[in-house]
Amino acid sequence: MVSRLKSLFEDPTKRPRLIVWIGVAVIGLAVLSAVGVIGTSTNWFCTEPCHVVHYDNTLAFNAGTHVKLSCVTCHEPVNGSPLTFILMKLEVAPDLIPTIAGTFHLPMNEGSYLALEMEDEYCTQCHNLDNRVVNPSKGIIIDHEAHTKKDVTCTSCHNRVAHPEESVTYVLEGDEKHENWLTMDACFRCHGLEADAAAPGACEACHPASFDLVPASHDAENWYNDFGDSGGHAAAYTEEASRVVQAVAWADGLEEVEHRAAPEMPYEQEINTCYTCHSKAFCTDCHGVEMPHPAEFVTDHGEAGLSNPDACATCHARSEAEAASGEFCNACHHPQGAPDRPWLTQHDDIVRTTGASPCFDCHNPTYCSACHVGGPEAAERYLKENAGD
Ligand code: HEC
Ligand code: HEC
Ligand code: HEC
Ligand code: HEC
Ligand code: HEC
Ligand code: HEC
Ligand code: HEC
Ligand code: HEC
Ligand code: HEC
Ligand code: HEC
Ligand code: HEC
């Protein structure tokens, strides 16, 4: 065998045969590589052999509008040379080991880092938004050009365009659905109502005048009531705030990824929904004080209350009259009193029915005598002298 090969190289009369064999070998290799590259670029290859890994992603892909496309349109370099493809296949080759061993990490593409990194050229291969009329859903305004100008990529918003997940039930254990960035919360990763936001948060930027701006949650009977139960919005906020705390912890645990357009961009889940429609001032202007009350407030609320009674009346007054008179302290301190009359003019009625002893839970007996020594006249005089205190 060795000697026959040797003669093939050394014997000049056998040169033509040598050339033929080399030719066959080169063509064979070329065909093999082509079959390899093309074969590993088919949707079949991306899904079936690697079925175990990409099963759920393909289920989602099949539910989308781009289902007729080849996976490589978006997942291999645009207009790449054959060499780029080969290098890319080699780069992902080590993934075979965890695929076969079943030790791969799920969920895939956690945090949607692929969408954060994907360049526009994948989409603009086909889409030219200068020529296409965009028909957004009813009530939504979108300005594509404004975003392109600021280097906001297509998949910063259309992250699930090729793999929509709403109607898909995932089957692989450990797999999870991704965030969808076509939601209002996701717009508010950049847009915002506070002065330091990168883009405008005013409703009219994205909604026409006819759009109903109040969400269904606010129809709840106890959402907000003047002088009644307003626990609905308070409970919704408390729940939302604790959900956000968990989301921030989740995002902190993700591997660092390059956020194009906005380096500090948070994830959709990290956005507190209340603050997409409401500035923080909207809440504090109504509350007037820090909510929930700080712990020390139990003992030092008297001063804060007397200096800004309106702020407390929003929540503590039992009637409009009580709010207007600034007598909201009575709601807690003299709950027996009628809420539509000043306490001073009815405390005597209460003393007549209950006696004075319950009063001394809080008042020192000398408190009464400041007004009562000398009878009602002294009391009137005291009031005049202390008017404005
Ligand atoms: C029209 C473009 C497009 C096509 C075609 C496409 N994908 Fe994707 N794919 C994307 C985008 C964009 C993402 C990033 C999604 C994200 O980060 O939220 C993605 C993400 C993925 C992921 C990561 C997991 C996930 O669901 O986010 C896998 C795996 C995947 N694609 C596989 C495939 C397979 C297999 C095919 C063919 C059957 C395919 N893709 C076809 C655009 C495409
Ligand atoms: C190979 C061509 C091709 C590529 C690449 C492609 N699309 Fe499409 N896309 C289409 C066609 C065709 C339609 C259907 C016709 C239409 O709506 O314009 C479509 C529809 C859409 C729609 C409307 C329907 C829907 O599902 O919401 C959006 C949005 C969209 N594409 C965004 C993208 C984005 C973002 C990318 C890049 C990740 C992308 N496309 C890549 C061809 C492509
Ligand atoms: C800032 C977010 C954002 C960016 C960036 C963005 N889009 Fe859109 N796009 C939207 C929204 C929102 C809609 C309306 C979707 C709806 O109402 O269902 C839309 C609609 C579309 C539609 C029309 C869908 C239809 O049914 O008429 C196409 C096509 C589209 N976008 C493609 C693209 C492409 C291509 C890019 C990148 C060049 C891009 N978009 C960048 C948010 C964005
Ligand atoms: C990655 C950041 C980012 C995301 C996400 C984003 N935007 Fe924007 N948006 C911008 C920037 C930046 C501008 C330009 C602001 C400027 O020109 O001052 C803008 C401007 C706009 C404008 C024009 C507003 C005006 O009055 O000039 C509209 C409309 C808009 N965005 C809608 C949306 C919608 C709808 C979404 C969610 C689907 C969205 N944006 C998500 C960054 C973003
Ligand atoms: C940057 C763009 C943008 C701005 C600014 C914006 N929205 Fe939206 N809004 C959206 C998008 C996109 C949707 C549809 C997707 C969804 O339902 O999350 C939406 C949906 C809604 C809905 C219907 C969904 C629901 O939760 O009931 C309401 C109500 C709404 N917006 C109110 C407002 C109000 C109030 C403001 C102003 C304080 C505002 N929006 C500002 C983009 C925006
Ligand atoms: C129109 C006035 C008003 C506005 C605006 C308002 N609140 Fe309130 N808030 C109240 C009242 C009244 C209560 C007392 C609720 C009760 O117990 O009945 C309250 C209570 C709360 C509490 C409960 C405090 C506790 O410890 O029990 C929280 C939290 C809260 N609000 C959050 C918010 C947030 C966040 C916003 C803005 C998105 C907001 N509120 C806007 C009037 C308002
Ligand atoms: C999709 C937009 C949107 C979201 C999200 C939203 N709100 Fe509102 N909210 C509104 C609008 C619009 C109004 C009416 C504002 C006005 O009249 O000025 C309102 C009014 C209110 C009021 C005053 C009620 C009244 O009758 O005047 C309170 C309190 C409130 N919201 C609390 C919250 C809290 C707490 C959250 C979060 C759990 C929240 N909102 C989330 C849009 C929203
Ligand atoms: C936004 C509504 C709101 C405003 C404004 C408000 N409070 Fe309260 N306050 C509450 C709620 C709700 C509770 C009950 C808290 C609880 O049970 O956890 C409360 C409890 C209290 C308590 C009882 C504390 C305890 O531990 O029993 C005092 C005292 C008090 N408030 C005083 C004030 C004073 C004084 C002001 C004005 C400076 C004020 N509050 C403004 C909602 C409010
Ligand atoms: C929400 C109910 C509530 C309201 C409204 C309220 N208080 Fe009180 N206040 C209490 C309670 C409960 C205590 C008893 C606290 C303790 O000692 O644990 C208290 C105690 C006090 C004390 C004694 C503090 C101490 O050192 O023990 C003073 C003084 C006082 N309140 C003044 C006021 C004044 C003035 C107002 C109106 C501006 C007011 N409070 C409104 C519930 C209220
Ligand atoms: C829970 C504690 C508490 C109890 C019980 C209580 N008070 Fe008071 N009372 C207060 C506080 C606090 C103030 C406000 C102190 C201030 O203005 O400096 C006040 C104020 C008053 C005032 C002055 C009102 C004004 O407009 O200046 C009168 C009068 C009064 N109380 C009478 C009574 C009588 C009578 C009783 C028994 C029926 C009673 N109080 C029971 C806590 C209490
Ligand atoms: C701020 C001054 C003031 C304080 C403090 C005060 N009172 Fe009075 N009191 C009055 C005035 C003024 C009247 C007359 C009210 C009226 O006629 O409406 C009155 C009337 C009364 C009457 C009816 C007396 C009669 O002759 O008809 C009784 C009983 C009474 N107070 C008990 C108390 C007790 C008990 C306390 C202490 C817990 C107290 N008062 C603290 C101002 C005060």
Side-chain angles (χ1 to χ4, degrees), residues 39-51 71:
T40 55
S41 299
T42 58
N43 284 19
W44 172 85
F45 182 83
C46 297
T47 354
E48 294 307 324
C50 313
H51 189 100
C71 311

Side-chain angles (χ1 to χ4, degrees), residues 298-299 301-302 305-306 316 328-329 332-333:
V298 179
T299 48
H301 61 277
L306 289 171
H316 290 297
F328 71 92
C329 313
C332 300
H333 285 280

Side-chain angles (χ1 to χ4, degrees), residues 43 61 64-71 73:
N43 284 19
F61 181 73
T65 37
H66 292 83
V67 63
K68 294 261 168 75
L69 300 194
S70 160
C71 311
T73 324

Side-chain angles (χ1 to χ4, degrees), residues 141-143 146-147 150 152 157 181 186-187 189-191 198-200 205-206 265:
I141 300 169
I142 179 67
D143 180 343
H147 295 95
K150 298 275 181 181
V152 179
C157 299
W181 295 338
C187 306
R189 290 171 301 157
C190 302
H191 288 257
C206 303
M265 188 163 67

Side-chain angles (χ1 to χ4, degrees), residues 6-36:
K6 223 172 150 193
S7 76
L8 203 59
F9 280 93
E10 283 166 4
D11 184 346
T13 63
K14 290 185 177 160
R15 284 267 158 82
R17 274 166 74 189
L18 176 65
I19 289 166
V20 168
W21 278 119
I22 291 175
V24 166
V26 167
I27 292 169
L29 254 173
V31 168
L32 219 84
S33 317
V35 167

